[in-house]
Structures are given as structure tokens and as C-alpha cells.
Amino acid sequence: MEVKNLTVVFEFILLGIPNTKGHETILFISFFAFYLCTLLGNLLILSAILADSRLHTPMYFFLCNLSVVDLGFASISTPKLLVSLWTKSRTILLGGCMSQVFFFQFLGCTECLLYTVMAFDRYVAICHPLRYLIIMNWRVCAILAAGTWISSSFHATILTSLTFTLPYCGRNVVDYFFCDIFPVAKLACADTYVIETVTFTNTGVVAMTCFFLILVSYVCIVYSILKMNSAEGRRKAASTCASHLTVVTLFFGPCALVYMQPCQSKVLVTAVHLFGCVATPMLNPVIYTLRNKEVKGALRKLRGGQTTAR
């Protein structure tokens, strides 16, 4: 029998963003600015909510969870991408590559489930306002939040384990700007049908189920809004949901482009992933802040407190 010489892979080489040679400096400045804005925006949201007791409600509890997810999501690939652009060093250790795959799946699934929980919270608040504090008590909120994080960790662990139990025979050049399942699995010297099927099935089932539940929630919300007699009540209810609907669209739009049409060009998929990893975590706090008087008030209060302290 012919014995294949297997070379253990301890590191990978990331080729980076396609068709950007010669533009490293401008890309570095742009991504660095996006990353700083993401960190600042989400940390401000967290600080404002934690400092203002009026925002210690279920809605803002889940918004805090979303800010934590955005902080993590932006940190999966952006720091390594910045290093690659600045130093031209494209090597990533096996452990770092595994971490990128795990946390991309973990935080992506968490964000998807979290949007669903936030939709349920808005449904209860608008459709059952008198029972809102009874239904969405702190025990229920804690269980829902913990459930999103724990179930996402199982999802990510399964996919990461399947990816890195594949045999790699020396090929270590990842044709992408970070370690994702499909670019890494392409390097395996074995059949990748199982990992591809499980990934599409898992991701598809989670995303479609969450999207369906969010859709059902908003159908009920719209029905309740239309039944309201007060124009002010309708306006306030619609305004409350507008921010959530915007960030849901920003999340599910790129997901549909990447995972529902795997034969798309690499340039389009890269642009969509960059938008999801770099732009969306920065836009979420902006969207919630610009459309939310309570958050803007808490930020002003936080700034005033800091000014007084100085």
C-alpha cells in the first residue's frame, strides 16, 4: 500500500484581502479608525447603561449583551488584519487560527440568538405591556441570556472540532484575511463533505429559525400597533422597534449573501465579511444611540459626571 507522507501543520499563512496590493497604508488607517470607534462606542454604551439605574431594564440588559458581542466580534480578525497590513507578517499559529474559527462561529451564533431574544422582549413589551415586568423578570432574562451564550458555545465547539480534526498534509496557505471554516477546510487532504454539510445545516437551521421567530414577533407587534387608538402610542412603539429592526437587517442581510449562496465571488464574500466584522459592530451602538432618547440622556449624564469628577 502507498503511504502518504503527512506533515503536521503548526501555522497558517493568511493571504489577506484580495486585490489590495499597494493600498496597505490606507486600509490600515481605515480599519484602525473603525476598530477604535467600535471599542469606544460599545464601551460607552456599556458604561452609560451600567451607570444609569433607569436603564436597568430587560431591554438594556440585552443591549449590554449585544455590546459585549460586538466588542468580541470586532476583535476576532481586525487586530490580526491590522498587524498584517502594518508589518506584512501574515503568519498565524494553529492555536490562533482555531481561536478565530471558534469565536467567529460562537459570537455569530450568539448575536443571531440575541436578536431573537430582543425581538421577543419587544413583543412582550408592546403586545402585553401590563404583564411585561412579570413575564420578563430578571430570572427569565438571565436564563434567556445564558441560553444564547451556552448554546452558541456548543455550536462553535462542534464546528471547530470537525474543522481541525481533518488531516492537513502540509498545505497551510489560507486564501482569506482570517481563518474561517471553508477557507481552512479547503486545505485538508481528506473529504470535506461532512464539515461542509454540517456547517451549512447548522448555520442555516439556526439563522432561518431565528429569522422566522423574529418575523413572527414583528407580525404580532405590527398588528398590536395598528390596534392602538393613540397616535403617540403608535409612534413610540414603532420608534422602539426601529433600532432593533435596523440592526437585524444589517446582520441577516450579509448572512444571506454569504451562506445561502456559497458560489458567490470571493471579492463579494470578502466585502460582506468585512462589513459584518468591521462595520456592523461599530454601527450597532450608533443606531441605538441616535434613535434612543434614554441612551442619549444616559450618555450626557455620564459625560456630565465625568466632567464634575475632573
Side-chain angles (χ1 to χ4, degrees):
M1 293 177 62
E2 182 184 354
V3 179
K4 184 178 288 187
N5 181 24
L6 298 181
T7 303
V8 179
V9 175
F10 291 104
E11 63 183 25
F12 292 89
I13 298 172
L14 302 173
L15 290 186
I17 305 171
N19 306 323
T20 56
K21 190 174 182 180
H23 303 285
E24 288 84 1
T25 302
I26 187 66
L27 287 173
F28 175 85
I29 294 171
S30 301
F31 291 142
F32 186 65
F34 272 104
Y35 189 52
L36 284 182
C37 290
T38 298
L39 296 180
L40 179 62
N42 284 287
L43 287 174
L44 278 175
I45 290 287
L46 281 171
S47 301
I49 292 174
L50 292 175
D52 194 334
S53 59
R54 294 173 301 175
L55 300 184
H56 294 175
T57 63
M59 175 181 172
Y60 295 106
F61 169 71
F62 294 124
L63 183 55
C64 280
N65 278 264
L66 181 62
S67 291
V68 173
V69 170
D70 284 335
L71 286 170
F73 216 96
S75 302
I76 294 170
S77 59
T78 306
K80 178 59 183 173
L81 180 59
L82 291 173
V83 170
S84 299
L85 291 169
W86 185 256
T87 67
K88 306 297 190 296
S89 173
R90 300 185 175 185
T91 302
I92 183 171
L93 296 176
L94 175 62
C97 191
M98 292 176 68
S99 296
Q100 286 192 338
V101 171
F102 175 82
F103 283 106
F104 185 76
Q105 295 297 323
F106 172 53
L107 294 175
C109 185
T110 302
E111 188 165 6
C112 185
L113 294 173
L114 195 56
Y115 285 141
T116 309
V117 171
M118 293 171 78
F120 175 71
D121 173 69
R122 292 299 83 207
Y123 160 74
V124 177
I126 293 172
C127 299
H128 304 282
L130 299 179
R131 300 173 56 202
Y132 177 67
L133 293 178
I134 298 174
I135 297 173
M136 297 301 294
N137 58 65
W138 284 112
R139 182 171 177 272
V140 171
C141 291
I143 290 173
L144 289 173
T148 63
W149 291 93
I150 293 171
S151 56
S152 297
S153 67
F154 283 119
H155 166 84
T157 300
I158 292 169
L159 296 185
T160 306
S161 299
L162 287 173
T163 302
F164 289 97
T165 51
L166 290 170
Y168 294 90
C169 310
R171 295 169 57 204
N172 68 338
V173 179
V174 180
D175 192 13
Y176 212 46
F177 68 95
F178 76 102
C179 289
D180 196 11
I181 290 175
F182 296 121
V184 173
K186 281 168 57 177
L187 305 176
C189 51
D191 185 14
T192 59
Y193 175 78
V194 173
I195 179 63
E196 290 175 358
T197 303
V198 172
T199 300
F200 274 116
T201 303
N202 258 24
T203 306
V205 167
V206 171
M208 291 304 296
T209 302
C210 290
F211 182 78
F212 176 74
L213 292 174
I214 291 171
L215 185 62
V216 170
S217 297
Y218 273 98
V219 168
C220 297
I221 287 171
V222 170
Y223 180 70
S224 294
I225 291 175
L226 292 176
K227 289 201 308 181
M228 291 179 180
N229 296 322
S230 168
E232 177 64 21
R234 288 196 297 269
R235 186 200 62 78
K236 187 175 180 180
S239 177
T240 303
C241 298
S243 299
H244 181 253
L245 275 175
T246 304
V247 296
V248 165
T249 303
L250 289 175
F251 178 80
F252 281 100
C255 281
L257 279 175
V258 173
Y259 290 104
M260 301 305 289
Q261 302 182 58
C263 294
Q264 290 280 3
S265 70
K266 187 174 70 174
V267 174
L268 176 61
V269 172
T270 302
V272 170
H273 261 154
L274 280 172
F275 181 80
C277 295
V278 178
T280 301
M282 183 196 71
L283 291 174
N284 283 351
V286 174
I287 292 167
Y288 274 102
T289 303
L290 290 178
R291 299 192 61 88
N292 194 305
K293 292 181 180 179
E294 293 175 323
V295 175
K296 286 191 286 189
L299 288 171
R300 284 194 295 267
K301 181 179 177 182
L302 183 67
R303 185 179 60 184
Q306 289 173 341
T307 305
T308 303
R310 287 198 298 267

